[in-house]
Amino acid sequence: MFPGGGQPNMQQLLQQAQKMQQDLAAAQEELARTEVDGQAGGGLVKATVTGSGELRALVIDPKAVDPEDTETLADLVVAALQAANENAQALQQQKLGPLAQGLGGGSGIPGLPF
């Protein structure tokens, strides 16, 4: 499996591992800066989260506000947040998936949802 049939070059393996670790850190930083949206109720409630899942903004259209029915508004907020988080997870998979596979299969890495 190794060139020349000998033992792997430990220095080369360490350099590859370090590069993958740096690439992973860079991708995580990019996710923390990237914002994704989710919405509910035909756009009455919009949530913006970072690619790492941190809530950045919540916009509620006044048409969604009914003082007699706060439960529906709460449901719309939850649905918008869920949609935004699903979009964030898809972005995480896109950005981190190839790196995680390079680190040994994409599972067992603390902090990664896949």
Side-chain angles (χ1 to χ4, degrees):
M1 290 194 148
F2 298 107
Q7 293 294 319
N9 180 330
M10 288 306 288
Q11 183 66 25
Q12 190 175 24
L13 288 176
L14 289 173
Q15 287 173 347
Q16 288 174 343
Q18 185 177 17
K19 181 178 181 338
M20 284 196 299
Q21 194 173 31
Q22 290 169 346
D23 291 348
L24 181 61
Q28 288 172 325
E29 287 177 28
E30 182 181 347
L31 284 172
R33 289 190 309 267
T34 304
E35 293 184 349
V36 293
D37 295 319
Q39 61 178 319
L44 290 175
V45 177
K46 297 177 184 174
T48 302
V49 299
T50 64
S52 57
E54 180 184 342
L55 179 63
R56 289 293 174 105
L58 182 64
V59 178
I60 301 172
D61 187 304
K63 291 181 245 170
V65 180
D66 178 357
E68 301 296 317
D69 184 14
T70 57
E71 286 181 27
T72 297
L73 178 57
D75 289 344
L76 290 174
V77 169
V78 169
L81 286 170
Q82 286 175 335
N85 279 320
E86 286 173 10
N87 291 335
Q89 287 179 355
L91 183 62
Q92 287 174 7
Q93 182 67 33
Q94 176 187 348
K95 295 287 184 188
L96 299 179
L99 292 171
Q101 289 171 357
L103 290 171
S107 62
I109 299 174
L112 296 183
F114 44 89

